[in-house]
Amino acid sequence: MAASNEHPPDGWAFLGVGDPFLVVHDEQRGLLAVAGAGAHGGATPVAVYNSRSFARRAVVRSRFPVHALAFHPRRPLLAIGTGRYDGGYFFEGELLLLHLKTGAVASLIENEFGRQVLGLEWLDERSLRVLMAPPDDWQDEAAHENGHVAVVDRADWTAVPARSLSGRDLAGPRTLAPRPEPREAVQRAAATLRSLWQAQRAGPSAEL
């Protein structure tokens, strides 16, 4: 079967993450992070690739669905926001930090249930903006449309220990936090991958 200019012959199966759900491209460093949709009740894969050659650099599997990915602006780190509503009370989840050189991954939130992390943004080398669902929906009718935003500051994120972010670190003001439609997320992921694949097909790939 001839290779397609739109996508590989077998779609995105060669990435090894199942159906791509979330894609983030670090154009400056030529890195690509892709989270799969994840099987029901199973782990959700997240992999990092060279965005020019699609060679895999690192992979991790999350216990929860993935909602946010953010490359550190300078360090070889990928922040991964995960979580879900447990169906009856808690919005549980993890903030994972993947070291791209060693493959080591740390879960940073100390609380047993964690928090459902909906959004991540590096404001600079020290500061990570974290958007989270409320801890639970007890007597909170707007919990599924609202969240809390916190800015966590650390001098060196490569040295942040696991389970070291406390409730105080993650305390922040209430804000609107609408959950994106899954179909829209899948469409955005496919569009990003399609653009990168077309660029790779248009010229010689370059390894980092």
Side-chain angles (χ1 to χ4, degrees), residues 23-34:
V23 175
V24 173
H25 181 208
D26 184 334
E27 186 173 358
Q28 183 176 359
R29 288 184 287 182
L31 294 174
L32 177 69
V34 183

Side-chain angles (χ1 to χ4, degrees), residues 131-147:
L131 175 65
M132 298 155 287
D136 57 66
D137 63 354
W138 174 248
Q139 296 183 337
D140 187 352
E141 295 181 358
H144 294 262
E145 291 81 36
N146 281 203

Side-chain angles (χ1 to χ4, degrees), residues 102-183:
T102 67
V105 60
S107 181
L108 300 185
I109 301 175
E110 69 171 6
N111 183 280
E112 177 185 357
F113 295 102
R115 294 287 293 273
Q116 183 183 22
V117 179
L118 301 171
L120 294 168
E121 180 187 5
W122 292 101
L123 303 179
D124 53 40
E125 294 183 41
R126 298 175 56 108
S127 303
L128 178 62
R129 181 182 184 271
V130 186
L131 175 65
M132 298 155 287
D136 57 66
D137 63 354
W138 174 248
Q139 296 183 337
D140 187 352
E141 295 181 358
H144 294 262
E145 291 81 36
N146 281 203
H148 297 269
V149 63
V151 176
V152 182
D153 186 86
R154 293 292 185 270
D156 181 3
W157 280 90
T158 62
V160 175
R163 304 294 181 187
S164 62
L165 299 190
S166 67
R168 178 174 296 181
D169 290 315
L170 299 175
R174 183 102 166 187
T175 185
L176 285 174
R179 284 43 162 183
E181 179 66 32
R183 181 179 298 179

Side-chain angles (χ1 to χ4, degrees), residues 3-4 8 22 40 50 71 87 90 92 110 112 115 142 152 154-155 158 185-187 201 204:
S4 168
L22 181 63
H40 180 70
N50 179 313
F71 287 106
F90 290 109
E92 55 186 352
E110 69 171 6
E112 177 185 357
R115 294 287 293 273
V152 182
R154 293 292 185 270
T158 62
V186 170
Q187 291 174 343
R201 294 275 295 166

Side-chain angles (χ1 to χ4, degrees), residues 1-9 12 51-54 193-205:
M1 185 176 190
S4 168
N5 288 327
E6 291 290 319
H7 53 74
W12 308 113
S51 64
R52 302 181 184 96
S53 66
F54 287 92
L193 288 172
R194 197 158 48 239
S195 175
L196 291 169
W197 177 256
Q198 290 171 345
Q200 189 263 2
R201 294 275 295 166
S205 62

